[in-house]
Amino acid sequence: MCDETIAQYGDYAQHGGVVVFDTETTGVSNEDEVCQIAAARYENGTLTQSLNEYLKISFPMPPQAEEIHGISDAFLAANGLNPRVGLRKFFNLLRGDVLVVAHNARFDKRMIGVMCEKCGVKNRLEEKFTCDTWPLAKAVLPGLENYRLCTLVDSLGVEGENTHNAFDDVNACAGVFFGLLSRHKSEQAIKGRKE
């Protein structure tokens, strides 16, 4: 990842809109569904709006998925939204020119796309400039043992916890995103002074 791309991320973070998001799903295939979607919108680096919605699914929750995220059929029956409504609420956060941020973004974007297709909702995520914090972290923090969200939270000393709850993971990812940009900016300033 080049410095120019990281600089673009920094411009959005300081002077524009950023939406950090995460999903929890019933599995990882294109037959699976999103059961939780969470997002946080930042304007000029300040949190302005957040979203945490559980979505009804069209089949019983697989036990192995429930074991990971703890979302049960009973919980979704009591708290789940119609997925169309949940997707529209999420896309409302993406209004305007925003940078979309996620950890392992390819997976979450694919699952949102799957849900949009199933629900007949236009996928507004496809139109947005995206930052995946995984390759960003590899560029800024080379040589880490791994690039899991929990490892990055610890390495950067930012607030947040990777719990496999989409809302918690959004907060952790946001801390990592802003922390990585801050670290990169500091390193660039040091490099500039040496030159």
Side-chain angles (χ1 to χ4, degrees), residues 140-151:
V140 176
L141 301 172
L144 285 186
E145 185 179 331
N146 65 65
Y147 290 89
R148 292 188 201 110
L149 195 52
C150 55
T151 302

Side-chain angles (χ1 to χ4, degrees), residues 99-119:
L99 173 68
V100 175
V101 178
H103 193 68
N104 194 12
R106 184 182 299 172
F107 172 75
D108 294 290
K109 286 181 75 173
R110 179 171 62 82
M111 294 308 296
I112 293 290
V114 166
M115 290 302 289
C116 287
E117 203 168 301
K118 285 185 178 187
C119 296

Side-chain angles (χ1 to χ4, degrees), residues 23 88 121 155 174 192:
T23 64
R88 287 189 184 117
V121 173
S155 296

Side-chain angles (χ1 to χ4, degrees), residues 72-79:
S72 67
D73 290 323
F75 182 86
L76 291 180
N79 301 285

Side-chain angles (χ1 to χ4, degrees), residues 107-140:
F107 172 75
D108 294 290
K109 286 181 75 173
R110 179 171 62 82
M111 294 308 296
I112 293 290
V114 166
M115 290 302 289
C116 287
E117 203 168 301
K118 285 185 178 187
C119 296
V121 173
K122 183 179 178 186
N123 185 358
R124 301 196 179 280
L125 198 51
E126 291 177 331
E127 308 161 355
K128 302 298 177 181
F129 184 37
T130 303
C131 168
D132 187 333
T133 50
W134 192 299
L136 176 60
K138 284 186 171 182
V140 176

Side-chain angles (χ1 to χ4, degrees), residues 1 11 15 18-19 23 26 34 47 58 67 85 89-90 92 94 108 149 172 176-178 181 185 192 195:
M1 180 175 291
D11 285 344
H15 310 293
V18 172
V19 176
T23 64
T26 61
V34 173
L47 178 65
S58 63
E67 197 173 302
V85 175
K89 284 186 166 193
F90 170 60
N92 183 52
L94 301 186
D108 294 290
L149 195 52
V176 164
F177 171 71
F178 288 107
L181 291 179
K185 188 175 180 181
E195 291 171 356

